[in-house]
Amino acid sequence: MNVSDAIRGRRSIRDFLPDPVPESVLRQIFDAARWAPSGSNIQAWRVIAVTGTKRDAVIRMARSKHEAGLVRSEAFPIYPPNLWEPLRSRRFALAEDMYRALGIPREDKVARRTHVARNFEFFGAPIGLFFVIDRRVAHGQWAHLGMLIQTIALLIEERGLGCCMQEAWAAFRPELAGMFNLSADEMVYCGMAVGQPDRTKPVNQFERTRISVDELAEFLGFKD
Ligand SMILES: Cc1cc2nc3c(=O)[nH]c(=O)nc-3n(C[C@H](O)[C@H](O)[C@H](O)COP(=O)(O)O)c2cc1C
């Protein structure tokens, strides 16, 4: 598989088979991913991988908090309040495409909430990753962490596995920090569900959209 195929083949997987993924496979992925670039090579990142009883404990914590309605936003919000256009519409379009694939109409708030809660079961994936960053870093290091995350996602794709990055876990940052004994300076940025995709599920098949090259890029000074 070449890089272009991995980039185009990767998609967010939101329904997994329970098949386990061995630690050795995860280690190979991290061994390759640690070569992701970071400004000044400072590598201000850390990954915590959970499976088995550790995964179950995280799920239990999230379920109890979510059921109690204790999902809260805090410092470092994932999105700014009042997201503006065209970003707002893109976000809305993704939700519509995804819920259509799931067969959940807009009015069915309970079913939508139930799907959101599937985040907190890693969508059935056997492995959960948590990306940890130091609160003291500047914005550059947050971008660097993104490079590591996408590198891991592409390596997962290369191995025929799948993943879903999960900002949803930001709702439980204090609880996760406690469970993983993070230092006072550390926080979980986001999670990632990793496993064998259930490719039969429509939620893993719906067509995704992207802005065009001309919306993405501006070409200055080119002659060809
Ligand atoms: C950092 C990051 C966090 C994300 N968090 C979630 C999440 O919590 N739950 C979810 O279902 N999808 C999440 N996504 C997936 C995005 O919705 C998805 O990447 C986007 O719609 C593009 O679709 P694709 O990944 O299938 O190409 C996240 C993506 C990124 C990059």
Side-chain angles (χ1 to χ4, degrees):
M1 179 181 285
N2 64 33
V3 178
S4 299
D5 290 341
I7 291 169
R8 197 62 186 90
R10 185 212 59 80
R11 61 172 298 138
S12 293
I13 299 300
R14 298 185 177 91
D15 207 327
F16 291 84
L17 298 170
D19 314 22
V21 177
E23 181 181 331
S24 56
V25 171
L26 211 48
R27 280 187 173 276
Q28 284 167 17
I29 289 169
F30 293 159
D31 191 33
R34 68 200 168 95
W35 293 96
S38 59
S40 298
N41 200 25
I42 69 173
Q43 303 162 77
W45 51 45
R46 208 157 78 79
V47 189
I48 295 172
V50 295
T51 196
T53 56
K54 297 291 182 191
R55 167 190 175 276
D56 297 346
V58 172
I59 291 175
R60 260 199 317 279
M61 174 279 291
R63 185 175 297 146
S64 66
K65 294 279 172 187
H66 193 249
E67 277 167 7
L70 293 179
V71 177
R72 57 164 124 38
S73 58
E74 44 133 358
F76 300 100
I78 290 292
Y79 294 100
N82 305 319
L83 202 60
W84 52 92
E85 293 298 344
L87 310 184
R88 193 169 174 274
S89 294
R90 290 178 196 156
R91 189 181 192 191
F92 185 78
L94 178 260
E96 289 306 297
D97 291 345
M98 189 179 73
Y99 287 121
R100 196 175 308 114
L102 287 161
I104 302 175
R106 194 174 311 164
E107 317 76 70
D108 195 344
K109 301 284 180 240
V110 174
R112 288 194 171 204
R113 194 175 145 83
T114 302
H115 172 73
V116 170
R118 287 277 292 155
N119 269 286
F120 307 127
E121 299 167 349
F122 303 104
F123 299 112
I127 290 183
L129 303 184
F130 290 97
F131 295 94
V132 177
I133 192 156
D134 193 305
R135 292 170 191 276
R136 295 168 297 179
V137 297
H139 68 271
Q141 287 74 57
W142 285 81
H144 307 162
L145 179 54
M147 295 185 196
L148 177 73
I149 296 171
Q150 168 72 341
T151 303
I152 288 173
L154 296 180
L155 291 160
I156 287 169
E157 180 68 25
E158 185 187 44
R159 279 156 183 79
L161 298 169
C163 71
C164 186
M165 298 160 197
Q166 294 188 285
E167 287 165 341
W169 285 103
F172 304 117
R173 280 177 175 150
E175 292 80 6
L176 293 168
M179 293 185 90
F180 300 142
N181 296 316
L182 301 190
S183 75
D185 290 324
E186 287 179 312
M187 63 183 276
V188 167
Y189 158 44
C190 72
M192 181 190 275
V194 183
Q196 191 68 55
D198 184 341
R199 299 191 196 275
T200 66
K201 295 287 166 61
V203 74
N204 292 336
Q205 293 174 12
F206 68 87
E207 205 167 313
R208 296 152 307 137
T209 62
R210 290 296 194 269
I211 58 172
S212 68
V213 170
D214 287 317
E215 289 171 288
L216 168 73
E218 194 176 334
F219 298 89
L220 305 174
F222 292 85
K223 298 271 187 284
D224 56 330

Short mmCIF file of all heavy atoms in Angstrom, two decimals, residues 58-59 61-62 119-122 129-130 166-173 176 188-193:
data_model
loop_
_atom_site.label_atom_id
_atom_site.label_comp_id
_atom_site.label_asym_id
_atom_site.label_seq_id
_atom_site.Cartn_x
_atom_site.Cartn_y
_atom_site.Cartn_z
N VAL A 58 -12.26 2.15 31.74
CA VAL A 58 -12.47 3.48 31.14
C VAL A 58 -13.91 3.59 30.65
O VAL A 58 -14.59 4.61 30.86
CB VAL A 58 -11.47 3.70 29.97
CG1 VAL A 58 -11.81 4.97 29.21
CG2 VAL A 58 -10.04 3.76 30.49
N ILE A 59 -14.39 2.52 30.00
CA ILE A 59 -15.76 2.52 29.49
C ILE A 59 -16.76 2.67 30.65
O ILE A 59 -17.72 3.44 30.56
CB ILE A 59 -16.03 1.23 28.67
CG1 ILE A 59 -15.22 1.25 27.37
CG2 ILE A 59 -17.52 1.05 28.39
CD1 ILE A 59 -15.31 -0.02 26.54
N MET A 61 -16.28 4.05 33.57
CA MET A 61 -16.23 5.42 34.08
C MET A 61 -17.06 6.34 33.18
O MET A 61 -17.91 7.10 33.65
CB MET A 61 -14.76 5.89 34.12
CG MET A 61 -14.56 7.35 34.49
SD MET A 61 -14.80 8.51 33.13
CE MET A 61 -13.41 8.15 32.07
N ALA A 62 -16.82 6.24 31.86
CA ALA A 62 -17.50 7.15 30.92
C ALA A 62 -19.01 6.90 30.93
O ALA A 62 -19.80 7.85 30.91
CB ALA A 62 -16.94 6.96 29.52
N ASN A 119 -19.27 6.32 21.29
CA ASN A 119 -17.89 6.82 21.39
C ASN A 119 -17.22 6.28 22.64
O ASN A 119 -16.04 5.93 22.63
CB ASN A 119 -17.88 8.35 21.47
CG ASN A 119 -17.78 9.03 20.13
OD1 ASN A 119 -16.72 9.06 19.51
ND2 ASN A 119 -18.90 9.59 19.68
N PHE A 120 -18.02 6.24 23.70
CA PHE A 120 -17.44 5.92 25.01
C PHE A 120 -17.36 4.42 25.25
O PHE A 120 -17.07 3.98 26.35
CB PHE A 120 -18.23 6.66 26.10
CG PHE A 120 -18.33 8.14 25.82
CD1 PHE A 120 -19.55 8.80 25.80
CD2 PHE A 120 -17.19 8.87 25.52
CE1 PHE A 120 -19.64 10.16 25.51
CE2 PHE A 120 -17.26 10.23 25.23
CZ PHE A 120 -18.48 10.88 25.22
N GLU A 121 -17.60 3.66 24.17
CA GLU A 121 -17.32 2.21 24.16
C GLU A 121 -16.31 1.93 23.05
O GLU A 121 -16.20 0.81 22.58
CB GLU A 121 -18.61 1.43 23.89
CG GLU A 121 -19.68 1.64 24.93
CD GLU A 121 -21.04 1.12 24.47
OE1 GLU A 121 -21.21 0.79 23.27
OE2 GLU A 121 -21.94 1.07 25.31
N PHE A 122 -15.66 2.98 22.58
CA PHE A 122 -14.71 2.86 21.46
C PHE A 122 -15.39 2.21 20.25
O PHE A 122 -14.75 1.50 19.48
CB PHE A 122 -13.46 2.07 21.86
CG PHE A 122 -12.72 2.66 23.04
CD1 PHE A 122 -12.81 2.08 24.30
CD2 PHE A 122 -11.93 3.79 22.89
CE1 PHE A 122 -12.15 2.63 25.39
CE2 PHE A 122 -11.25 4.34 23.97
CZ PHE A 122 -11.37 3.75 25.22
N LEU A 129 -6.84 4.31 22.36
CA LEU A 129 -5.62 5.10 22.56
C LEU A 129 -6.02 6.45 23.12
O LEU A 129 -7.08 6.99 22.78
CB LEU A 129 -4.87 5.33 21.23
CG LEU A 129 -4.47 4.11 20.42
CD1 LEU A 129 -3.66 4.57 19.20
CD2 LEU A 129 -3.68 3.12 21.25
N PHE A 130 -5.15 7.00 23.96
CA PHE A 130 -5.35 8.35 24.45
C PHE A 130 -4.08 9.15 24.20
O PHE A 130 -2.98 8.71 24.56
CB PHE A 130 -5.72 8.34 25.94
CG PHE A 130 -7.09 7.78 26.17
CD1 PHE A 130 -7.25 6.45 26.54
CD2 PHE A 130 -8.22 8.56 25.98
CE1 PHE A 130 -8.52 5.91 26.71
CE2 PHE A 130 -9.49 8.04 26.15
CZ PHE A 130 -9.64 6.71 26.52
N GLN A 166 -11.05 10.38 18.33
CA GLN A 166 -12.20 10.65 19.21
C GLN A 166 -11.97 11.84 20.14
O GLN A 166 -11.48 11.68 21.26
CB GLN A 166 -12.50 9.41 20.06
CG GLN A 166 -12.97 8.20 19.26
CD GLN A 166 -13.42 7.12 20.20
OE1 GLN A 166 -12.61 6.45 20.81
NE2 GLN A 166 -14.72 6.98 20.37
N GLU A 167 -12.40 13.00 19.66
CA GLU A 167 -12.38 14.17 20.53
C GLU A 167 -13.44 14.05 21.62
O GLU A 167 -13.39 14.77 22.62
CB GLU A 167 -12.65 15.43 19.71
CG GLU A 167 -11.49 15.84 18.85
CD GLU A 167 -11.88 16.86 17.79
OE1 GLU A 167 -13.07 16.99 17.48
OE2 GLU A 167 -10.98 17.51 17.26
N ALA A 168 -14.39 13.16 21.40
CA ALA A 168 -15.48 12.98 22.37
C ALA A 168 -14.93 12.74 23.79
O ALA A 168 -15.53 13.18 24.77
CB ALA A 168 -16.37 11.81 21.96
N TRP A 169 -13.77 12.09 23.85
CA TRP A 169 -13.21 11.77 25.16
C TRP A 169 -12.78 13.01 25.94
O TRP A 169 -12.53 12.94 27.16
CB TRP A 169 -12.03 10.81 25.03
CG TRP A 169 -12.47 9.40 24.72
CD1 TRP A 169 -12.43 8.77 23.52
CD2 TRP A 169 -13.04 8.46 25.65
NE1 TRP A 169 -12.93 7.50 23.64
CE2 TRP A 169 -13.31 7.28 24.94
CE3 TRP A 169 -13.34 8.51 27.02
CZ2 TRP A 169 -13.87 6.15 25.54
CZ3 TRP A 169 -13.89 7.38 27.62
CH2 TRP A 169 -14.14 6.22 26.88
N ALA A 170 -12.72 14.15 25.25
CA ALA A 170 -12.36 15.40 25.95
C ALA A 170 -13.35 15.70 27.08
O ALA A 170 -13.03 16.43 28.01
CB ALA A 170 -12.30 16.56 24.96
N ALA A 171 -14.54 15.13 26.95
CA ALA A 171 -15.57 15.36 27.99
C ALA A 171 -15.13 14.82 29.35
O ALA A 171 -15.65 15.24 30.38
CB ALA A 171 -16.88 14.71 27.57
N PHE A 172 -14.20 13.88 29.34
CA PHE A 172 -13.82 13.22 30.59
C PHE A 172 -12.34 13.42 30.94
O PHE A 172 -11.70 12.54 31.50
CB PHE A 172 -14.13 11.71 30.49
CG PHE A 172 -15.56 11.43 30.16
CD1 PHE A 172 -15.89 10.79 28.97
CD2 PHE A 172 -16.58 11.85 30.99
CE1 PHE A 172 -17.22 10.54 28.65
CE2 PHE A 172 -17.91 11.61 30.68
CZ PHE A 172 -18.22 10.95 29.51
N ARG A 173 -11.84 14.57 30.58
CA ARG A 173 -10.40 14.79 30.81
C ARG A 173 -9.99 14.63 32.27
O ARG A 173 -8.99 13.95 32.54
CB ARG A 173 -9.99 16.17 30.27
CG ARG A 173 -9.79 16.13 28.77
CD ARG A 173 -9.46 17.49 28.22
NE ARG A 173 -9.16 17.38 26.81
CZ ARG A 173 -9.39 18.35 25.92
NH1 ARG A 173 -9.91 19.49 26.33
NH2 ARG A 173 -9.10 18.18 24.66
N LEU A 176 -10.06 10.90 33.17
CA LEU A 176 -9.02 10.14 32.50
C LEU A 176 -7.66 10.45 33.13
O LEU A 176 -6.83 9.54 33.32
CB LEU A 176 -9.00 10.46 30.99
CG LEU A 176 -10.24 9.98 30.22
CD1 LEU A 176 -10.27 10.59 28.83
CD2 LEU A 176 -10.28 8.46 30.14
N VAL A 188 -5.36 14.74 28.58
CA VAL A 188 -5.69 13.98 27.38
C VAL A 188 -6.23 14.96 26.34
O VAL A 188 -7.12 15.76 26.64
CB VAL A 188 -6.77 12.90 27.69
CG1 VAL A 188 -7.36 12.33 26.41
CG2 VAL A 188 -6.16 11.79 28.54
N TYR A 189 -5.64 14.95 25.15
CA TYR A 189 -6.23 15.75 24.08
C TYR A 189 -7.43 15.00 23.51
O TYR A 189 -8.56 15.48 23.57
CB TYR A 189 -5.20 16.05 22.98
CG TYR A 189 -5.84 16.38 21.64
CD1 TYR A 189 -6.93 17.25 21.58
CD2 TYR A 189 -5.39 15.83 20.45
CE1 TYR A 189 -7.55 17.54 20.37
CE2 TYR A 189 -5.99 16.12 19.24
CZ TYR A 189 -7.08 16.97 19.21
OH TYR A 189 -7.70 17.24 18.02
N CYS A 190 -7.19 13.80 22.97
CA CYS A 190 -8.31 13.04 22.40
C CYS A 190 -8.01 11.55 22.48
O CYS A 190 -6.91 11.15 22.89
CB CYS A 190 -8.57 13.46 20.94
SG CYS A 190 -7.34 12.91 19.75
N GLY A 191 -8.98 10.77 22.10
CA GLY A 191 -8.81 9.32 22.09
C GLY A 191 -8.81 8.81 20.66
O GLY A 191 -8.93 9.57 19.70
N MET A 192 -8.64 7.49 20.55
CA MET A 192 -8.74 6.84 19.24
C MET A 192 -9.15 5.39 19.46
O MET A 192 -8.52 4.67 20.25
CB MET A 192 -7.40 6.90 18.50
CG MET A 192 -7.45 6.26 17.11
SD MET A 192 -5.80 6.07 16.36
CE MET A 192 -5.56 7.66 15.62
N ALA A 193 -10.20 4.99 18.78
CA ALA A 193 -10.62 3.58 18.81
C ALA A 193 -9.86 2.85 17.70
O ALA A 193 -9.77 3.35 16.58
CB ALA A 193 -12.12 3.49 18.55
#
